[in-house]
């Protein structure tokens, strides 16, 4: 039900934009972010066909399914022992600090902010152990929506003239992807985090290696996020 509420309320976006007029290019980015959000929630809303990839002792789990028009997508489901506002602040307000605590990320840089919900970002992924997957970077449009007690952070690959492909990096593409944050029912001091990951790493990589890297990346992310919040959120 929360997915339907988030999608319905988000669809009102275009009629509720701030008074400031947006350029045609800015509007196209806003619409791309909205499209990423709608597609992601549609994927998460379909409960059929998910297969278990990994289950960790603490209850964290990664599921996956193959979609005809997207390919293989991964779904992380975890509970974080911090209130929603703290998790949201770390993932959205402090986005550019992610490279400080997530070893999978070398750098996240906001290239442009559009209104209060949409940003264009450039992300450099850190090399994997043994350099199995070489340097990758991403240019993405991201939007963050808060609808009642549900927060959705969605994104997808985009083109940005001021950030062409970089020497030494393979320009990979993500999306549609999103993170959904909700208070754990009956325990508002805890947050249920669901992360839909859809990514095309490009290059010549065996699918078995890609699948292993991506599912492990999600598990590692949850652990690093918990460690980060334990250090930064006041007790």
């Amino acid at each position: 039900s929360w997915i339907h509420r988030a999608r319905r309320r988000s669809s009102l976006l275009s009629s509720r934009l701030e008074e400031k007029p947006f350029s045609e290019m800015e509007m196209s980015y806003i619409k791309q972010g909205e499209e990423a959000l709608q597609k992601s929630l549609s994927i998460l809303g379909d409960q059929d066909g998910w297969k278990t990839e990994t289950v960790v002792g603490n209850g964290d789990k990664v599921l996956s399914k193959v979609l005809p028009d997207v390919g293989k997508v991964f779904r992380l489901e975890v509970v974080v022992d911090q209130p929603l506002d703290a998790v949201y602040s770390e993932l959205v307000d402090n986005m550019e600090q992610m490279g400080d605590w997530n070893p999978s990320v070398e750098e996240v840089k906001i290239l442009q902010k559009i209104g209060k919900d949409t940003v264009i970002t450039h992300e450099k992924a850190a090399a994997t152990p043994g350099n199995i997957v070489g340097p990758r970077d991403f240019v993405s449009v991201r939007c963050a929506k808060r609808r009642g007690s549900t927060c959705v952070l969605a994104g997808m690959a985009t083109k940005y003239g001021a950030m062409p492909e970089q020497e030494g990096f393979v320009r990979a593409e993500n999306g549609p992807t999103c993170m959904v944050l909700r208070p754990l029912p009956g325990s508002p001091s805890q947050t249920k985090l669901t992360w839909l990951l859809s990514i095309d790493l490009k290059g010549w990589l065996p699918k078995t290696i890609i699948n292993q890297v991506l599912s492990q990346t999600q598990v590692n992310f949850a652990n690093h996020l918990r460690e980060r919040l334990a250090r930064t959120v006041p007790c």
Side-chain angles (χ1 to χ4, degrees):
S1 61
W2 61 265
I3 287 181
H4 293 306
R5 288 198 300 273
R7 293 183 72 189
R8 185 172 65 250
R9 289 172 177 170
S10 184
S11 67
L12 300 174
L13 163 74
S14 58
S15 63
R16 301 292 296 275
L17 290 172
E18 299 98 324
E19 292 300 314
K20 177 194 170 190
F22 292 98
S23 69
E24 186 176 341
M25 180 61 74
E26 289 172 330
M27 282 303 303
S28 73
Y29 285 128
I30 291 173
K31 290 177 180 177
Q32 285 176 43
E34 178 70 15
E35 179 184 353
L37 185 146
Q38 296 291 346
K39 282 187 175 181
S40 297
L41 293 181
S42 177
I43 293 170
L44 289 176
D46 184 354
Q47 299 298 316
D48 296 333
W50 292 96
K51 297 180 179 179
T52 301
E53 290 276 341
T54 306
V55 179
V56 186
N58 63 3
D60 293 359
K61 61 182 177 180
V62 177
L63 310 172
S64 70
K65 72 189 299 185
V66 178
L67 302 173
D69 56 337
V70 178
K72 192 164 189 177
V73 298
F74 295 84
R75 174 179 182 162
L76 173 74
E77 296 185 355
V78 302
V79 173
V80 180
D81 292 331
Q82 298 288 350
L84 185 148
D85 283 348
V87 183
Y88 180 92
S89 179
E90 190 62 58
L91 296 177
V92 178
D93 300 333
N94 300 331
M95 183 188 305
E96 290 187 305
Q97 298 177 25
M98 188 174 290
D100 296 342
W101 56 267
N102 184 355
S104 297
V105 175
E106 182 178 314
E107 180 185 56
V108 176
K109 184 176 182 180
I110 295 175
L111 302 176
Q112 183 178 348
K113 292 185 178 182
I114 305 170
K116 61 182 177 61
D117 296 328
T118 306
V119 295
I120 310 297
T121 64
H122 179 237
E123 178 180 329
K124 294 179 181 177
T128 57
N131 206 31
I132 295 173
V133 179
R136 297 295 195 271
D137 73 340
F138 305 82
V139 173
S140 306
V141 57
R142 307 188 190 202
C143 70
K145 305 288 183 186
R146 298 193 68 156
R147 297 292 180 263
S149 61
T150 299
C151 299
V152 184
L153 322 173
M156 66 188 300
T158 192
K159 303 290 186 184
Y160 192 76
M163 185 55 70
E165 293 192 19
Q166 305 291 293
E167 186 175 352
F169 286 86
V170 174
R171 178 64 50 87
E173 295 183 353
N174 60 26
T177 181
C178 79
M179 290 186 183
V180 179
L181 310 175
R182 290 175 293 144
L184 191 67
S187 182
S189 64
Q190 295 177 294
T191 302
K192 174 70 180 292
L193 185 154
T194 301
W195 176 16
L196 175 72
L197 177 62
S198 167
I199 195 166
D200 182 353
L201 289 173
K202 303 296 184 180
W204 300 96
L205 294 170
K207 287 187 177 181
T208 52
I209 290 180
I210 293 174
N211 294 341
Q212 180 181 349
V213 167
L214 294 183
S215 60
Q216 189 60 48
T217 294
Q218 288 193 298
V219 170
N220 293 345
F221 167 83
N223 293 330
H224 295 310
L225 177 62
R226 289 188 179 101
E227 292 171 0
R228 170 70 168 187
L229 291 170
R231 291 195 303 268
T232 57
V233 177
C235 297

